[in-house]
Amino acid sequence: MGAKESMVSEKYPTKPITIIVPYAAGGSADMIARALERSAQKHLGQTLVIVNMPGGGATVGMNELAGAKPDGYTIGIVATSVILQPLYGETRYHYPTALEPLVNVVSSPVMVATLVDKPWKNLSEVVSYAKQHPGEIKFGHSGLGTSTHVTGEMFAKETGISIKQVPFRGGEPESLAALLGGHIQLICVSNPSVLKEHVKSGTIRILGVAEETRLTIPSFEDVPTFKEQGINIAFNFWNGIAAPKGLPLAEKARLTAGLREMVNNPDFKENMEKLGMSVHYLGPEDFSERWIEDNVKLTKIVKETGIAELIASQKK
């Protein structure tokens, strides 16, 4: 039996590998999957079949991934929502333990933006205005419990201001449209490419990025961090690849080796930078450690900001 299993593993993969994207086509996670697909044949010996399964704050796709056979033929794009969703209430699977981290792919810088005709040149000016006009500023993000919502709540709590959080189920393109239409005054985004052309044309001003250091992404190098502006927030959200728990060691080794080459490919890195994302490769051990660390941090944040209670009230 052992010899047979070894022979099967040596041949893996013998057919295309499905990669589940728990978000709609066109978003950052979808872009990552499509960019990886271009070099899959070269580095894995098979193509990737992209299946978009949006809905439920990414839980629809993550449920499909967690429930799939752990044979190496179903993997999925995962984001920080793997950690966040179980903190908001009962989910079909406890994703951090039902899924197996393979590689971290990119870091997603979360930033706050406004229209250039607004009176605020930086976050400090937003805070001053919000304290004088409590509840007047509407702050758009891509949905309850998402990384952009979490950042918005952290911003309000850390600075002691009252701003109205406005979730958009259609994600960042919808919140951007609302900003451009004057329906909200601020937006929080985690995909710089959504804002790039508007920044270039001088329509939108980026007020701050919630990173430890300034970005190296073209067009965004001059954006100050929250910390530079006296706001103690720095949290890095991410996108990576995971598989159902129980992946055989040989298949896991083959997968992670191929994915390492794909993620570190110069063409892939260049492609991601053009889309406004920074490649930040982590192997399975380091990525697993990241899940554990983020679980501790986010559990604390979700409790302190009251996001969990807010989401629970929405479900009633």
Side-chain angles (χ1 to χ4, degrees):
M1 185 69 177
K4 277 189 177 180
E5 285 178 353
S6 174
M7 287 172 62
V8 171
S9 297
E10 284 175 20
K11 291 181 180 179
Y12 169 83
T14 59
K15 61 182 181 180
I17 297 168
T18 294
I19 181 165
I20 294 171
V21 179
Y23 303 95
S28 56
D30 183 63
M31 292 175 185
I32 291 166
R34 294 183 191 281
L36 288 171
E37 196 279 329
R38 293 174 198 166
S39 64
Q41 185 73 55
K42 178 181 178 181
H43 296 296
L44 283 174
Q46 290 289 342
T47 57
L48 291 179
V49 178
I50 299 165
V51 179
N52 294 89
M53 290 187 174
T59 59
V60 172
M62 288 193 290
N63 287 342
E64 189 73 18
L65 178 61
K69 189 176 179 183
D71 58 4
Y73 289 103
T74 304
I75 58 176
I77 299 285
V78 291
T80 318
S81 52
V82 161
I83 310 295
L84 284 169
Q85 287 298 340
L87 299 177
Y88 300 146
E90 191 174 340
T91 49
R92 187 186 303 176
Y93 298 93
H94 182 253
Y95 306 118
T97 53
L99 296 175
E100 197 157 331
L102 297 178
V103 298
N104 189 72
V105 180
V106 300
S107 295
S108 303
V110 179
M111 43 187 147
V112 175
T114 190
L115 295 178
V116 291
D117 61 6
K118 296 300 176 194
W120 316 302
K121 302 291 191 296
N122 53 54
L123 291 174
S124 298
E125 292 180 3
V126 171
V127 172
S128 296
Y129 183 92
K131 285 182 176 178
Q132 293 169 16
H133 306 84
E136 189 177 305
I137 295 177
K138 293 180 181 176
F139 190 100
H141 52 74
S142 49
L144 287 176
T146 60
S147 61
T148 50
H149 179 208
V150 169
T151 304
E153 296 285 4
M154 287 168 67
F155 174 52
K157 184 178 184 301
E158 183 67 27
T159 57
I161 60 175
S162 173
I163 52 179
K164 186 176 181 182
Q165 303 281 345
V166 184
F168 289 89
R169 289 183 180 178
E172 294 179 356
E174 189 180 343
S175 64
L176 173 61
L179 179 72
L180 294 171
H183 306 294
I184 56 177
Q185 291 75 48
L186 295 175
I187 56 169
C188 194
V189 302
S190 60
N191 182 1
S193 65
V194 170
L195 303 176
K196 195 169 185 177
E197 293 307 314
H198 296 285
V199 170
K200 280 185 177 179
S201 66
T203 317
I204 281 178
R205 177 186 297 123
I206 312 292
L207 300 176
V209 59
E211 295 273 336
E212 289 287 355
T213 58
R214 292 195 180 193
L215 302 176
T216 57
I217 301 168
S219 301
F220 298 94
E221 303 99 328
D222 296 330
V223 178
T225 66
F226 280 51
K227 284 191 171 182
E228 284 180 76
Q229 301 177 70
I231 302 167
N232 190 28
I233 295 174
F235 193 88
N236 192 271
F237 294 91
W238 42 261
N239 284 100
I241 298 173
K245 197 75 170 179
L247 196 62
L249 291 178
E251 276 77 351
K252 182 176 180 179
R254 176 73 183 92
L255 254 180
T256 53
L259 289 168
R260 181 181 65 239
E261 296 301 316
M262 292 158 72
V263 172
N264 289 312
N265 182 298
D267 289 340
F268 178 78
K269 287 186 174 183
E270 185 181 349
N271 196 355
M272 289 297 99
E273 283 182 4
K274 285 179 182 177
L275 294 171
M277 291 179 272
S278 301
V279 171
H280 182 206
Y281 170 80
L282 292 176
E285 292 80 14
D286 290 336
F287 193 24
S288 180
E289 190 63 34
R290 179 71 191 270
W291 284 26
I292 294 167
E293 291 172 1
D294 281 0
N295 191 57
V296 173
K297 290 178 186 176
L298 288 168
T299 299
K300 185 172 183 284
I301 290 167
V302 164
K303 184 178 179 181
E304 289 180 348
T305 57
I307 293 174
E309 288 82 358
L310 175 64
I311 291 174
S313 70
Q314 296 284 322
K315 289 178 179 178
K316 289 177 181 177

